[in-house]
Amino acid sequence: MKLSNLFCNLKDMLNIVIFGAPGSGKGTQSENLIKRYNLAHISTGDVLRAEMKNGTELGKLAEGYIAKGQLVPDDVVIGMLANVLDTKKDAAGVIFDGFPRTIPQSDALDEMLKERGQEVSIVVSLEVEEPELIERLIKRGQQSGRSDDNMETIKSRLDVYKNQTSPLKEHYEKTGKLASIKGVGTVDEIFERIAEAVDKIK
Ligand code: AP5
Ligand code: MG
């Protein structure tokens, strides 16, 4: 294969950042996106929870932050993402779910993709009001066993989102890659809104 073709193919990769507050539906909508676009899925929250379950050093470190609803330090999450990204080379692109959550993380993602001849294609931001987010998470908390689905930690997660993560929206707005999607309605209705935005850039 010619080098120029290889470069062209890499640029065609569909890299979707799915962005939104806790409970906005990032994980739920990622499942639909994977099916429709044949993408790999990286949820940093899922990776951290798996590390916790396996009792690894990383899991032990993450546990305290997650239980308090705080962010795991940037350098830890960035290193973890780089490792996971290398295992997804064969997919037609990647859905980044819950990453980036800070400006240093978004810079690191740009850099990692650039090194691979790729870039972020679109940032899908799911917009849901706080009372609905709380209701969804409390409901899930009754069955999930997730250590952070309790009222105190939910409040802290929402504050962290507001103060540390939501400023990224302005950052992505400037790059012209932000697609704000109303995240309320049935799962299918929301997915159709997302797919319409994704299909526009394909
Ligand atoms: P993470 O696992 O990413 O959790 P989160 O951002 O708090 O979001 P959730 O996974 O709770 O919600 P979601 O948006 O995926 O919604 P879901 O589809 O599940 O992160 C957890 C923690 O890990 C962080 O607090 C942090 O400590 C750490 N961490 C992770 N990434 C990090 C990073 N990059 N940097 C630093 N630290 C990091 O839906 C929620 C519920 O609503 C479900 O029950 C679902 O069934 C329901 N639902 C979905 N859609 C609808 C709908 N349309 N109508 C009604 N209910 C719906
Ligand atoms: Mg999730």
Side-chain angles (χ1 to χ4, degrees):
M1 190 194 288
K2 275 204 264 172
L3 195 60
S4 58
N5 283 350
L6 181 67
F7 197 67
C8 182
N9 288 342
L10 288 171
K11 278 274 178 198
D12 288 343
M13 303 277 272
L14 183 59
N15 291 311
I16 301 177
V17 172
I18 188 142
F19 188 88
S24 58
K26 301 184 293 294
T28 304
Q29 295 300 336
S30 290
E31 282 176 29
N32 286 330
L33 283 163
I34 295 161
K35 283 185 219 139
R36 174 136 350 156
Y37 300 102
N38 193 25
L39 303 172
H41 178 214
I42 303 177
S43 157
T44 41
D46 287 349
V47 176
L48 290 167
R49 280 184 290 277
E51 296 282 341
M52 278 160 56
K53 202 171 160 205
N54 292 331
T56 65
E57 284 306 310
L58 173 57
K60 283 181 204 151
L61 185 142
E63 211 153 13
Y65 293 98
I66 291 184
K68 289 193 206 117
Q70 293 167 357
L71 296 184
V72 174
D74 282 338
D75 55 342
V76 174
V77 187
I78 290 167
M80 181 184 90
L81 186 92
N83 288 335
V84 181
L85 192 54
D86 280 333
T87 67
K88 308 287 182 191
K89 282 180 184 145
D90 297 334
V94 175
I95 302 167
F96 297 92
D97 164 357
F99 187 100
R101 274 170 137 100
T102 61
I103 296 283
Q105 290 184 20
S106 77
D107 290 343
L109 179 61
D110 286 346
E111 197 52 42
M112 270 181 248
L113 291 174
K114 199 171 157 200
E115 279 167 13
R116 293 162 174 80
Q118 299 176 45
E119 58 186 18
V120 169
S121 315
I122 186 169
V123 178
V124 172
S125 175
L126 295 172
E127 307 297 340
V128 181
E129 297 293 329
E130 230 173 83
E132 167 89 14
L133 296 170
I134 294 172
E135 198 182 311
R136 287 184 190 177
L137 293 174
I138 290 286
K139 200 168 153 195
R140 187 181 61 190
Q142 287 157 359
Q143 312 120 16
S144 73
R146 255 178 71 161
S147 62
D148 55 351
D149 278 347
N150 60 76
M151 198 59 214
E152 198 186 335
T153 311
I154 290 168
K155 282 201 171 134
S156 155
R157 286 157 71 194
L158 291 171
D159 280 347
V160 166
Y161 174 75
K162 211 183 294 167
N163 298 326
Q164 298 183 49
T165 303
S166 71
L168 269 178
K169 271 201 271 185
E170 204 179 309
H171 169 78
Y172 279 120
E173 183 112 59
K174 284 187 197 141
T175 67
K177 290 182 177 170
L178 187 75
S180 286
I181 304 287
K182 186 178 152 203
V184 183
T186 67
V187 170
D188 288 346
E189 280 164 358
I190 298 162
F191 181 63
E192 286 315 315
R193 290 176 205 142
I194 298 173
E196 200 185 327
V198 171
D199 288 339
K200 265 191 210 150
I201 59 126
K202 270 177 68 86

